[in-house]
Amino acid sequence: MPKNKGKGGKNRKRGKNEADDEKRELVFKEDGQEYAQVLRMLGNGRCEAMCIDGTKRLCHIRGKMHKKVWIAAGDIVLVGLREYQDDKADVILKYMPDEARLLKAYGELPENTRLNEGIAGGLDEEDDGAGDEYIEFEDEDIDKI
């Protein structure tokens, strides 16, 4: 049986995540681009995103990001708008959580945008207190049980 002389293989491809440690420059939107928050992943390299301008768009994840940058519901992304299709867009860049906080601090994202949730648009403001109800027992009540 011949020896493996090449540099290929699954394990070599698996350890290619060196870009996570270094800081990258914050990219702002230009004309023809918009910030969006991913509502849900659809599969096949597509997602549904709510753009900051209030339009819900079907977004296509570009090939350079496909299987390299993982996008989940609630992530802030930069999308390129299509001139010929207003209801579709292309995902250009995914912002890391600290970059999304900086965008919100600079006023690029509106104040009502939720950054730290896994699912965008989960609870409304009036429903926030519903999950915080609990019963408080005193020491005497515990002894009776």
Side-chain angles (χ1 to χ4, degrees), residues 53-65:
D53 60 3
T55 309
K56 190 181 288 188
R57 290 188 170 95
L58 179 71
C59 298
H60 177 262
I61 300 170
R62 66 188 221 141
K64 189 175 181 181
M65 297 175 65

Side-chain angles (χ1 to χ4, degrees), residues 91-103:
V91 176
I92 298 172
L93 179 87
K94 175 193 167 191
Y95 290 105
M96 299 296 151
D98 56 334
E99 293 173 333
R101 282 191 291 273
L102 280 175
L103 282 175

Side-chain angles (χ1 to χ4, degrees), residues 129-137:
D132 296 336
E133 296 178 9
Y134 58 92
I135 300 171
E136 192 171 312
F137 291 103

Side-chain angles (χ1 to χ4, degrees), residues 27-56:
V27 179
F28 294 104
K29 72 173 182 175
E30 298 173 4
D31 54 335
Q33 297 177 348
E34 192 65 55
Y35 300 114
Q37 187 167 29
V38 177
L39 297 176
R40 61 187 179 135
M41 295 302 295
L42 300 174
N44 200 20
R46 296 176 301 143
C47 64
E48 188 176 325
M50 178 63 77
C51 292
I52 299 304
D53 60 3
T55 309
K56 190 181 288 188

Side-chain angles (χ1 to χ4, degrees), residues 136-143:
E136 192 171 312
F137 291 103
E138 295 180 9
D139 292 334
E140 300 163 1
D141 295 335
I142 294 173
D143 292 338

Side-chain angles (χ1 to χ4, degrees), residues 7-128:
K7 295 181 183 175
K10 197 187 297 184
N11 292 332
R12 182 175 156 266
K13 293 176 187 173
R14 196 176 287 161
K16 282 278 185 178
N17 236 352
E18 298 125 8
D20 288 343
D21 297 336
E22 63 188 47
K23 284 282 192 182
R24 63 180 184 191
E25 189 174 329
L26 189 60
V27 179
F28 294 104
K29 72 173 182 175
E30 298 173 4
D31 54 335
Q33 297 177 348
E34 192 65 55
Y35 300 114
Q37 187 167 29
V38 177
L39 297 176
R40 61 187 179 135
M41 295 302 295
L42 300 174
N44 200 20
R46 296 176 301 143
C47 64
E48 188 176 325
M50 178 63 77
C51 292
I52 299 304
D53 60 3
T55 309
K56 190 181 288 188
R57 290 188 170 95
L58 179 71
C59 298
H60 177 262
I61 300 170
R62 66 188 221 141
K64 189 175 181 181
M65 297 175 65
H66 190 66
K67 290 190 177 180
K68 292 175 181 64
V69 179
W70 291 100
I71 297 175
D75 287 342
I76 303 294
V77 293
L78 180 67
V79 296
L81 304 177
R82 297 181 179 181
E83 295 177 4
Y84 52 93
Q85 290 175 315
D86 191 44
D87 60 334
K88 291 187 179 179
D90 301 297
V91 176
I92 298 172
L93 179 87
K94 175 193 167 191
Y95 290 105
M96 299 296 151
D98 56 334
E99 293 173 333
R101 282 191 291 273
L102 280 175
L103 282 175
K104 194 170 181 180
Y106 288 145
E108 295 284 326
L109 298 177
E111 291 298 320
N112 58 2
T113 305
R114 296 181 175 193
L115 299 178
N116 296 332
E117 267 109 52
I119 298 171
L123 294 173
D124 292 335
E125 268 66 10
E126 55 265 8
D127 294 341
D128 284 342

